[in-house]
Amino acid sequence: MTPKPPHHPDTDDCIRGSAALTRAFGVLGKRWSGVVLGNLRFGPAGFRELSRATGGVSDSVLSDRLSELTTAGLITRTVDPGPPVSVSYELTASGQALMPALEQISLWAQEHLPPESSQ
């Protein structure tokens, strides 16, 4: 009996996989998105906490990323009317489901990417 040739995905499988990656990196490929999500893995956080934890991101970019991640369904935004009024962000179930993949990307980066220079 001759061995079966290895399975190769058909064109439809490749197209579906490519479309899924395009959607995923449309959200996650923006600078700071993954870092913001990673910081929320510890629990809800306010804007200032996220700004300090993220380090280096401007308030306007952080605000944009939080809005985009909320629209994508990865985080929720909760307003506590106070006083004082406070806003917090938290991972949704979809955001939580992403954490193992982000952890793997982090491990891969530690092993395979050179450290950033401090210039």
Side-chain angles (χ1 to χ4, degrees):
M1 199 181 239
T2 59
K4 269 178 117 175
H7 172 71
H8 294 287
D10 65 16
T11 303
D12 288 342
D13 288 342
C14 289
I15 290 170
R16 277 191 298 278
S18 186
L21 281 174
T22 298
R23 285 193 325 274
F25 280 98
V27 174
L28 300 175
K30 292 186 177 177
R31 189 162 188 194
W32 303 111
S33 292
V35 176
V36 169
L37 289 167
N39 283 324
L40 287 172
R41 75 185 178 277
F42 302 114
F47 188 91
R48 284 287 145 231
E49 290 173 276
L50 288 170
S51 181
R52 281 190 298 275
T54 303
V57 64
S58 70
D59 285 354
S60 63
V61 170
L62 179 57
S63 180
D64 288 348
R65 292 304 167 267
L66 289 168
S67 178
E68 292 163 358
L69 294 169
T70 300
T71 299
L74 297 174
I75 64 174
T76 58
R77 179 180 187 269
T78 304
V79 178
D80 179 11
V85 173
S86 68
V87 177
S88 64
Y89 299 89
E90 185 173 14
L91 292 173
T92 63
S94 292
Q96 289 284 351
L98 182 58
M99 290 304 103
L102 286 183
E103 178 64 25
Q104 288 301 308
I105 290 170
S106 177
L107 292 172
W108 174 84
Q110 289 174 33
E111 186 173 330
H112 296 284
L113 295 178
E116 286 188 5
S117 63
S118 57
Q119 296 177 355

